[in-house]
């Protein structure tokens, strides 16, 4: 059996699912429950998932790192939606950085 070819398009698909569940019953949807708790709680979950991802990166298996990374991306997409940020906004920001050194890009954001 051939393995399905996957791509980063899965993030846009996940975003559509997140949007579709935004107004669902919080008792029946984890996504709706997150939205009902507000942006501060969602941001806290992103932080927790980021820490778990780092822990797996340092001492876990690739499979555990992939699972925690998936959790982090999911919660990050929920946070973006809670703040009215669409994935395409982030994709545009990334596109705008093409060909620019990371050091130069960061220096351009420093405010004095």
């Amino acid at each position: 059996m051939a393995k399905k070819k996957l791509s980063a398009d899965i993030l846009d698909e996940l975003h559509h699912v997140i949007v579709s569940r935004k107004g669902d019953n919080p008792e029946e949807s984890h996504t709706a429950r997150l939205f009902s708790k507000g942006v501060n709680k969602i941001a806290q979950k992103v932080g927790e998932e980021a820490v778990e991802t780092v822990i797996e990166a340092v001492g876990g298996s690739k499979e555990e790192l992939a699972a925690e990374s998936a959790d982090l991306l999911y919660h990050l997409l929920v946070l973006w939606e809670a703040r009215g940020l669409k994935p395409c906004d982030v994709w545009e920001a990334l596109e705008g950085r093409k060909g620019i050194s990371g050091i130069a890009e960061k220096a351009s954001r420093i405010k004095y």
Side-chain angles (χ1 to χ4, degrees), residues 19-99:
V19 170
S20 75
R21 296 194 180 152
K22 193 172 184 178
D24 286 356
N25 182 344
E27 298 299 317
E28 297 175 2
S29 166
H30 176 67
T31 302
R33 185 176 305 134
L34 285 169
F35 282 121
S36 74
K37 292 183 178 183
V39 72
N40 288 345
K41 182 62 175 175
I42 297 167
Q44 179 184 346
K45 283 298 294 177
V46 170
E48 291 169 7
E49 295 300 342
V51 169
E52 291 172 9
T53 300
V54 169
I55 290 168
E56 294 305 332
V58 172
S61 68
K62 287 193 320 187
E63 293 79 10
E64 291 165 332
L65 176 57
E68 290 301 339
S69 296
D71 289 347
L72 175 58
L73 287 170
Y74 161 76
H75 285 91
L76 186 58
L77 284 165
V78 172
L79 180 62
W80 292 351
E81 183 60 28
R83 289 298 317 271
L85 185 68
K86 303 299 180 204
C88 64
D89 299 326
V90 178
W91 309 159
E92 287 175 13
L94 288 169
E95 182 69 24
R97 295 179 184 186
K98 273 186 175 178

Side-chain angles (χ1 to χ4, degrees), residues 7-19 77 80 86-88 91:
S7 72
D9 291 340
I10 192 75
L11 293 175
D12 287 322
E13 293 173 24
L14 177 57
H15 176 255
H16 290 298
V17 171
I18 288 167
V19 170
L77 284 165
W80 292 351
K86 303 299 180 204
C88 64
W91 309 159

